[in-house]
């Protein structure tokens, strides 16, 4: 999939940098813990921090045609659990917000 939206590119690059995974990994059918963690982070960033928020079906399409119910579950169930149980997930979310604020200030 060709990604052209600047916010999506920023979020993808951030997730790649933070996790060491590639877009190929994120868009693949793999469901290993590290890939699920990274995808969940991406879903959280796109739903919570993109101006106007992306729809679940749009995010599902971005992630190689996943079912939108999977994206809903990642956003409403998995991400909140990770934010509570895994400090590194919450730190990554905060780091992304800080990056967005720096970019806004620089613009």
């Amino acid at each position: 999939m060709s990604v052209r939206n600047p916010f999506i590119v920023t979020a993808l690059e951030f997730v790649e940098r933070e996790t060491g995974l590639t877009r190929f990994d994120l868009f693949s059918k793999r469901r290993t813990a590290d890939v699920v963690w990274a995808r969940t982070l991406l879903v959280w960033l796109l739903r919570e921090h993109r101006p106007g928020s992306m729809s679940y079906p749009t995010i599902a399409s971005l992630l190689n045609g996943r079912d939108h119910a999977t994206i809903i579950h990642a956003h409403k169930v998995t991400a909140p659990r990770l934010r509570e149980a895994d400090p590194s997930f919450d730190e990554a979310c905060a780091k992304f917000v800080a990056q967005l604020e720096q970019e806004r200030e620089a613009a």
Side-chain angles (χ1 to χ4, degrees):
M1 165 177 245
S2 174
V3 178
R4 294 189 181 111
N5 180 290
F7 184 87
I8 297 171
V9 170
T10 298
L12 278 168
E13 288 173 350
F14 177 82
V15 171
E16 289 174 318
R17 194 171 50 252
E18 288 297 306
T19 65
L21 297 173
T22 66
R23 288 177 199 197
F24 178 80
D25 297 319
L26 294 170
F27 298 161
S28 74
K29 297 295 180 187
R30 288 181 33 219
R31 294 186 302 177
T32 58
D34 60 336
V35 174
V36 171
W37 192 98
R39 274 191 209 120
T40 301
L41 177 61
L42 181 61
V43 168
W44 182 261
L45 300 178
L46 294 175
R47 284 292 297 180
E48 296 296 319
H49 300 293
R50 181 175 182 269
S53 161
M54 288 180 72
S55 71
Y56 293 120
T58 301
I59 296 171
S61 176
L62 172 72
L63 291 173
N64 206 15
R66 288 194 147 53
D67 187 285
H68 77 281
T70 302
I71 305 306
I72 293 169
H73 189 271
H75 180 248
K76 292 188 174 186
V77 178
T78 308
R81 283 184 188 161
L82 284 172
R83 292 196 74 194
E84 285 183 24
D86 184 352
S88 62
F89 189 87
D90 208 33
E91 288 169 14
C93 293
K95 191 174 180 180
F96 183 75
V97 170
Q99 176 183 317
L100 289 179
E101 289 172 2
Q102 284 179 336
E103 290 174 3
R104 283 186 197 123
E105 289 174 5

